[in-house]
Amino acid sequence: MSDAGAENRIRIFDTTLRDGEQAPGCSMTLSEKLRVAKALTELNVDIIEAGFPAASPGDFEAVKAIAERNLGPTICGLARCNPEDIQKVHDAVKGADNHRIHVFVATSAIHREHKLKMAKEEIIKSAVGAIRMARELCDDVEFSPEDASRTELGYLAEVVAAAIEAGATTVNIPDTVGYTVPAEFDSLFRYLKQHVARIDEVILSVHCHNDLGMAVANSLAAVGAGARQIECTINGIGERAGNCSLEEAVMAVKTRAEFFDLHTNIDTTRLYPTSRLVSNITGMHPPRNKAIVGENAFAHEAGIHQHGMLQHASTYEIMRPEDVGLSKSNLVLGKHSGRHAFRDRVAELGFELDEFETNRAFQEFKKLADKKKDVYDGDIESIIMNAGSTSSGPWTLKSLEIQTHTDQPATSTVTLIGEDGSETAESAVGDGPIAAAVQALEQATGVNMVLRNFELHSASVGEDAQGEVTVTVEIDGNSFRGRGASVDIVEAGCRACLEVMNRTLRRRRRGELPGADTDASSSRATI
């Protein structure tokens, strides 16, 4: 028997870079994916599903680049049950010492009839052939029967048994459309444990979507029934309503250890920094009341709660903020704080910066400290995430002037510095300050865009808090995302737009198509 049976460790299979990235607007560039992969490594996840290599050349290159970093976790790629997909996954992940091929095929009646138009026997034959091919290339092979939660139990057991016989080392049972409920899912796993020969020789995995808000509950129900791998994403991002939230599942197992009698290898003090990194990159910030990593997760405003907290924290807190990497002190820095204090605070917040990155972030910190009295942890995090986002040019924002009057158009003047040090100033009029500023940027850079979405998030507290802006824009029919931060939200929006304009100009200079790293993937895979 493998260690999948009686042992009490739950493997964490993170699919933020594959399933999570498929959420609208969450696509990441290669450099962003590498940053997330590094953060997941520091979080100590067991498996990173780095992408779906057959989806596009960009996806293939991203998975390959992550694998070749050889970070430590098992690097996994997703494939349909066809030779081309499987070979592409192998070519992408083989650079990592620990790598996995993950193959899937739909098994439910609705998928068999309307999507695949295949008989039950054909699907089993396809799965078995794919698993055998994958095993010839790789010792670690995972199989998923897509839409398992809506598949007839008897047939699902038959498929799983065939997958094990063909050589799958992990069998994942996905609730692809977020349809099941905990008691039902518990019964499904217990049925498989009782009716599938050799099932104790493989690791049973669970992959739940959150369409009915039960992804975490269903995942934990599966764990209670014998699953020993949870497939999840940071902040629960993913298609439609998202996936099982990694931080919620992990902290549930840790906080209720006496109930589950299980553990993970996750360094929970890295949960909050990793959440912040992913939310900043994707522009999808967790709701304030999001469990574990939301801004209100450890806030107590009601008087009776505050009184209890002063007497003993356990009256209303079942976890400590420090356990998830949330600073309890929210130490305030100011304009007189030195480089050493700044570097120490960055380290305490869980960030690892090299000397160049530290110097760049410290310069931005000093600029911010001149604008506001106190600099909080959220401000520092924002600086680290956004510092230098437009530093690679060709344009840098020098100054911004805005004039607004009630019931009158706004006017804007932007001054940009080019790579050769020359300055360009343009003025424009718009319905509001953002529209005027964007039009002035367009005139200065020669890049025309359509602003589709403008999201504002406060990095810290107070009237002088930094505003973090994420914009989604359309250029030449392609969608792009940019980010910027400033105590002036119009300036933050300008920086976000200028980041996209600079990327577009650099690509045009290299002769690349305008849509080389758009937010639209050429193919999707859902399990």
Side-chain angles (χ1 to χ4, degrees):
M1 180 184 296
S2 75
D3 62 352
E7 60 95 13
N8 65 349
R9 179 168 72 90
I10 299 174
R11 291 154 186 80
I12 298 300
F13 176 112
D14 184 276
T15 185
T16 301
L17 293 173
R18 202 277 300 171
D19 207 340
E21 198 211 11
Q22 291 181 189
C26 283
S27 291
M28 308 176 203
T29 64
L30 175 57
S31 61
E32 290 169 341
K33 289 182 179 181
L34 290 170
R35 288 176 67 191
V36 172
K38 183 175 183 293
L40 294 174
T41 299
E42 294 168 352
L43 188 60
N44 209 28
V45 304
D46 298 281
I47 303 102
I48 296 174
E49 188 168 50
F52 181 23
S56 69
D59 232 29
F60 175 88
E61 292 301 328
V63 176
K64 188 172 185 288
I66 292 169
E68 290 176 347
R69 292 297 193 282
N70 209 19
L71 298 168
T74 296
I75 304 301
C76 175
L78 184 67
R80 293 163 296 195
C81 287
N82 67 60
E84 293 80 10
D85 275 26
I86 295 167
Q87 187 63 53
K88 281 190 175 181
V89 170
H90 175 65
D91 292 342
V93 302
K94 65 183 180 181
D97 290 343
N98 303 309
H99 54 271
R100 173 181 295 185
I101 298 175
H102 181 189
V103 298
F104 76 99
V105 66
T107 55
S108 67
I110 192 168
H111 278 257
R112 295 195 306 265
E113 179 180 351
H114 297 289
K115 186 176 79 171
L116 299 179
K117 302 188 185 302
M118 293 170 65
K120 291 181 177 180
E121 297 76 14
E122 291 179 284
I123 289 173
I124 292 179
K125 182 179 179 181
S126 175
V128 167
I131 294 166
R132 286 176 176 168
M133 176 183 174
R135 274 305 301 263
E136 291 176 359
L137 299 170
C138 178
D139 291 334
D140 190 350
V141 174
E142 177 170 336
F143 171 71
S144 290
E146 183 185 1
D147 206 21
S149 60
R150 294 194 295 174
T151 300
E152 307 94 310
L153 283 177
Y155 179 57
L156 181 62
E158 188 178 350
V159 173
V160 171
I164 295 171
E165 188 65 30
T169 52
T170 298
V171 174
N172 175 48
I173 306 300
D175 181 28
T176 303
V177 293
Y179 179 74
T180 195
V181 296
E184 180 182 51
F185 216 35
D186 174 278
S187 297
L188 184 156
F189 273 83
R190 294 187 188 279
Y191 180 91
L192 294 178
K193 295 281 282 186
Q194 293 169 5
H195 292 85
V196 176
R198 299 175 56 198
I199 198 167
D200 287 338
E201 297 179 17
V202 302
I203 296 169
L204 273 180
S205 178
V206 57
H207 180 120
C208 293
H209 284 260
N210 204 40
D211 297 72
L212 293 176
M214 289 184 279
V216 173
N218 286 329
S219 297
L220 294 176
V223 163
R228 288 298 177 265
Q229 176 178 287
I230 298 176
E231 306 197 358
C232 44
T233 63
I234 300 299
N235 298 334
I237 65 172
E239 288 193 287
R240 305 185 312 278
N243 287 26
C244 173
S245 163
L246 182 150
E247 57 276 3
E248 293 179 24
V250 166
M251 289 308 295
V253 171
K254 178 174 181 175
T255 305
R256 298 304 312 278
E258 82 293 343
F259 176 82
F260 288 103
D261 193 25
L262 298 165
H263 71 277
T264 73
N265 283 344
I266 294 296
D267 177 0
T268 62
T269 64
R270 300 293 306 167
L271 288 172
Y272 183 75
T274 307
S275 168
R276 281 282 295 164
L277 173 68
V278 171
S279 66
N280 187 276
I281 285 176
T282 62
M284 291 187 65
H285 297 277
R288 293 182 65 92
N289 64 337
K290 170 77 163 63
I292 313 302
V293 294
E295 294 178 24
N296 289 357
F298 295 94
H300 301 273
E301 188 168 332
I304 189 170
H305 286 208
Q306 291 177 343
H307 176 73
M309 286 291 296
L310 290 173
Q311 301 303 312
H312 199 283
S314 64
T315 53
Y316 288 101
E317 275 189 358
I318 60 174
M319 299 167 284
R320 299 183 308 160
E322 306 96 293
D323 291 340
V324 301
L326 184 63
S327 169
K328 192 171 184 178
S329 64
N330 196 21
L331 183 67
V332 176
L333 299 180
K335 62 188 297 183
H336 299 298
S337 299
R339 187 183 303 270
H340 183 74
F342 177 78
R343 183 185 290 111
D344 285 350
R345 197 66 198 140
V346 167
E348 289 172 11
L349 290 171
F351 294 99
E352 295 180 10
L353 305 182
D354 60 27
E355 192 63 25
F356 174 78
E357 291 171 328
T358 299
N359 289 338
R360 186 175 65 183
F362 182 69
Q363 290 171 7
E364 294 299 321
F365 160 73
K366 296 298 283 186
K367 291 179 185 177
L368 179 63
D370 283 335
K371 296 179 181 178
K372 57 180 300 189
K373 180 180 178 181
D374 298 320
V375 180
Y376 294 91
D377 289 346
D379 294 311
I380 295 174
E381 291 169 356
S382 181
I383 287 170
I384 294 169
M385 300 295 187
N386 292 284
S389 61
T390 59
S391 62
S392 53
W395 295 104
T396 302
L397 180 66
K398 178 184 180 182
S399 65
L400 168 69
E401 181 180 334
I402 297 288
Q403 291 184 343
T404 60
H405 301 277
T406 304
D407 298 327
Q408 292 184 29
T411 61
S412 170
T413 300
V414 297
T415 303
L416 303 181
I417 301 176
E419 292 171 304
D420 59 358
S422 62
E423 293 187 7
T424 296
E426 292 287 347
S427 298
V429 176
D431 292 335
I434 299 297
V438 170
Q439 187 171 332
L441 285 174
E442 289 176 329
Q443 294 171 188
T445 63
V447 178
N448 294 319
M449 61 170 56
V450 178
L451 184 61
R452 296 298 186 191
N453 194 35
F454 185 98
E455 296 182 18
L456 174 64
H457 178 79
S458 176
S460 60
V461 297
E463 295 178 356
D464 59 354
Q466 277 196 108
E468 296 177 328
V469 170
T470 301
V471 297
T472 302
V473 303
E474 187 176 302
I475 300 175
D476 299 331
N478 296 282
S479 179
F480 299 88
R481 190 177 61 249
R483 297 179 303 277
S486 172
V487 293
D488 182 329
I489 62 173
V490 179
E491 180 185 338
C494 280
R495 293 186 180 279
C497 290
L498 187 59
E499 179 193 349
V500 177
M501 291 172 166
N502 278 335
R503 292 206 319 260
T504 300
L505 290 168
R506 292 196 300 270
R507 277 195 305 276
R508 289 178 179 175
R509 181 183 296 173
R510 295 192 298 265
E512 298 175 2
L513 294 176
D517 66 349
T518 68
D519 284 338
S521 295
S522 62
S523 181
R524 296 297 191 199
T526 302
I527 58 170

